[in-house]
Amino acid sequence: MQDPDSGFLFTCEFNKSVKVVGSVADSLISDAGGLPIWQVMTVTNVVNRLASMNVDNRDQDQIRHSLPELLQQLLLQYMQEWARQTDADRHRRDPAMRVDTSSKRGMEPLQDDRSPASHPSMSRLVSMLAGQENFKQLRHFVEAFAMEHLLRRGDGKRRSELVVDIDGVPVDDHGKQQGSKWNGNYKRTIFLPLIAICGETGDMLGAELRGGTQNVVNDCYGFIRRIALELRKHVADKVILRLDAGLNDGELYGKLENGGISYVMRLKGNKALDRLAEPRLWGDQPPHRCCHELRYRAESWSVERRMVLMVDPMPGELFPRHYFLITNLDAEAYPAEELVKLYRKRGKAEKYFGKMRAVCSMSQSSVARPNMHYKGWPVVREPDESEQEDEIRAENEVLLQVYTLVYQLLHVGR
């Protein structure tokens, strides 16, 4: 904090005494990353809106920090990767964090003897958010916040069409964390949350925590359907899902089609598809870049479906590259060339998936550890391990939503 005569950027609306400058001086704090994001949180009123949707079941006569203050601190800590217990003392002494988490103005936050909430207090907040109704409200807010930003980017007008990318993002398990599982494809123990993102804008539309199972397709339709229906209701007249080959599954195609959800997806290669492609790769003329419209029905499919074969010769390579797209989009509205162009834009979405993975460092709870003492007194009853595992799994789901909201806040800030 200093007189902003040199390199002045802006004054924070939540505290006029905080001046953000773009130069380095001895009087500047070296870790003030929370100030710009708290400015974004103030403008969007995220904390108060989220607090109003959740039930605070604490004894109000026994608390030191209100629910908005705790939510504010939780988001700021995760934004700065201060999620570990060892960071507790650091952020409680940090002057920028004291300013960020205080409702007082001027220099009072630095003069006040009340520090930010402790790590146990933040853990109890996560447990409270993991309650069934609170978690439902948290997830709804995270998704609605991203959709609201999409509308603002379009001056409040609904879009005629919106393309949404959905994929599983592997997140490494650091320790034996509840819910993580071995994945044979990645050859390690991971979480594999499903992520929905608008590849055009980078807005994070939703996330669902899942163990790192072998097949990303398992139980994904409920998540996909909820996101698609909410977007159709609030943001766009038509929603097109753009999916990776990891989501190939005949049962999923049928569910999407029965639900009236449009999709375009890359197919995994196999011998049957190679035989189908071969006569179109080697004809009388040398291979050239082109698309082929096809109708195909695999043995496991109940109906015939539209496919597009993309042939793409590469300089210096003997065999041309090729791949198949499967879709339920109309061929007149989306000819083969246009469909390929639409799918190729998924490359931009991969960048945002990578950013989400970087934010989602997954400082999750570890294995269930029973309390041996409570307020100095030994715990008499034997803990129910299955009950503890359910609680930790619910808390991990809360943390994923927090990471998603942190990503979106950083994205809005950009």
Side-chain angles (χ1 to χ4, degrees):
M1 298 181 185
Q2 67 173 35
D3 184 30
D5 293 332
S6 175
F8 173 67
L9 294 178
F10 60 85
T11 299
C12 294
E13 294 182 10
F14 62 88
N15 189 332
K16 299 294 185 180
S17 294
V18 178
K19 314 295 182 183
V20 179
V21 301
S23 61
V24 178
D26 294 338
S27 58
L28 287 175
I29 185 170
S30 62
D31 196 356
L35 296 175
I37 201 64
W38 179 221
Q39 173 76 352
V40 175
M41 291 162 67
T42 301
V43 172
T44 55
N45 198 27
V46 164
V47 171
N48 290 329
R49 291 163 60 190
L50 183 57
S52 67
M53 299 171 65
N54 285 271
V55 177
D56 188 350
N57 53 17
R58 299 174 297 166
D59 185 347
Q60 300 301 306
D61 295 331
Q62 301 295 323
I63 64 173
R64 298 188 62 193
H65 300 89
S66 67
L67 182 57
E69 289 174 336
L70 292 177
L71 290 169
Q72 177 179 329
Q73 182 175 330
L74 182 68
L75 292 171
L76 290 169
Q77 283 181 207
Y78 275 79
M79 188 275 298
Q80 297 181 99
E81 297 185 357
W82 288 3
R84 299 168 298 178
Q85 188 169 355
T86 53
D87 294 324
D89 290 340
R90 177 186 178 190
H91 74 246
R92 296 188 81 188
R93 295 192 301 266
D94 183 77
M97 183 61 81
R98 292 171 72 94
V99 171
D100 290 343
T101 58
S102 175
S103 59
K104 296 183 178 180
R105 300 295 184 262
M107 301 301 291
E108 288 187 61
L110 301 181
Q111 299 164 357
D112 191 357
D113 60 353
R114 192 184 75 159
S115 60
S118 64
H119 187 273
S121 296
M122 303 310 295
S123 296
R124 287 191 290 271
L125 170 65
V126 173
S127 298
M128 183 170 65
L129 294 175
Q132 184 175 3
E133 189 58 34
N134 278 346
F135 175 74
K136 182 179 178 181
Q137 294 295 338
L138 171 63
R139 185 182 65 185
H140 173 74
F141 178 82
V142 170
E143 296 172 1
F145 183 65
M147 295 179 193
E148 176 185 299
H149 188 240
L150 274 175
L151 285 173
R152 286 182 178 272
R153 293 174 71 108
D155 297 326
K157 299 178 181 178
R158 286 177 60 90
R159 297 169 181 241
S160 59
E161 180 180 289
L162 183 70
V163 180
V164 179
D165 292 276
I166 295 179
D167 204 355
V169 176
V171 179
D172 289 330
D173 168 20
H174 303 289
K176 297 179 180 179
Q177 299 175 6
Q178 297 293 335
S180 62
K181 292 184 180 179
W182 173 263
N183 185 285
N185 183 38
Y186 293 99
K187 301 295 189 294
R188 60 185 189 269
T189 302
I190 59 172
F191 290 94
L192 194 60
L194 276 176
I195 305 295
I197 194 167
C198 178
E200 177 187 344
T201 65
D203 288 282
M204 193 64 56
L205 302 172
E208 182 173 282
L209 185 64
R210 291 145 36 96
T213 50
Q214 176 74 22
N215 192 342
V216 74
V217 176
N218 295 347
D219 304 323
C220 67
Y221 178 68
F223 171 76
I224 291 175
R225 181 177 183 275
R226 187 183 72 247
I227 296 296
L229 292 182
E230 286 297 310
L231 286 169
R232 278 208 306 234
K233 181 178 179 181
H234 300 290
V235 179
D237 297 330
K238 183 172 186 176
V239 175
I240 299 175
L241 301 181
R242 187 164 49 194
L243 307 172
D244 188 71
L247 286 162
N248 285 168
D249 184 77
E251 184 178 351
L252 177 60
Y253 307 149
K255 288 181 178 179
L256 293 175
E257 290 158 0
N258 292 335
I261 300 174
S262 301
Y263 66 88
V264 55
M265 183 187 311
R266 183 165 175 167
L267 279 175
K268 289 182 179 178
N270 57 51
K271 291 182 179 180
L273 291 178
D274 288 341
R275 289 194 296 269
L276 185 64
E278 187 173 357
R280 295 165 178 83
L281 301 179
W282 304 103
D284 297 334
Q285 301 295 327
H288 60 282
R289 189 174 184 275
C290 58
C291 297
H292 298 276
E293 282 279 358
L294 302 170
R295 302 291 298 182
Y296 179 72
R297 177 179 176 180
E299 292 183 2
S300 60
W301 298 356
S302 59
V303 296
E304 189 180 62
R305 293 185 168 94
R306 179 193 176 197
M307 293 202 314
V308 170
L309 168 63
M310 177 63 195
V311 180
D312 195 5
M314 301 300 295
E317 294 188 11
L318 177 61
F319 299 102
R321 293 184 182 180
H322 69 280
Y323 59 86
F324 286 90
L325 298 178
I326 183 170
T327 184
N328 62 345
L329 292 171
D330 182 71
E332 292 186 6
Y334 299 89
E337 289 282 354
E338 294 300 318
L339 192 72
V340 171
K341 289 180 182 179
L342 175 67
Y343 189 81
R344 282 184 165 177
K345 291 180 181 179
R346 181 178 167 82
K348 187 176 181 180
E350 293 290 350
K351 174 182 69 174
Y352 295 118
F353 281 123
K355 289 184 177 181
M356 177 59 183
R357 184 180 179 184
V359 170
C360 187
S361 57
M362 276 295 175
S363 297
Q364 304 286 47
S365 300
S366 188
V367 294
R369 294 184 295 273
N371 291 329
M372 303 304 296
H373 294 82
Y374 179 72
K375 294 185 177 180
W377 294 89
V379 175
V380 177
R381 72 176 179 88
E382 290 293 327
D384 186 336
E385 292 186 4
S386 62
E387 181 180 330
Q388 286 192 329
E389 289 182 2
D390 291 341
E391 290 176 357
I392 291 177
R393 188 176 295 107
E395 291 173 8
N396 285 343
E397 291 174 349
V398 166
L399 295 181
L400 177 62
Q401 299 303 319
V402 172
Y403 281 121
T404 306
L405 184 54
V406 165
Y407 169 97
Q408 187 63 19
L409 283 167
L410 292 169
H411 181 66
V412 171
R414 283 194 294 271

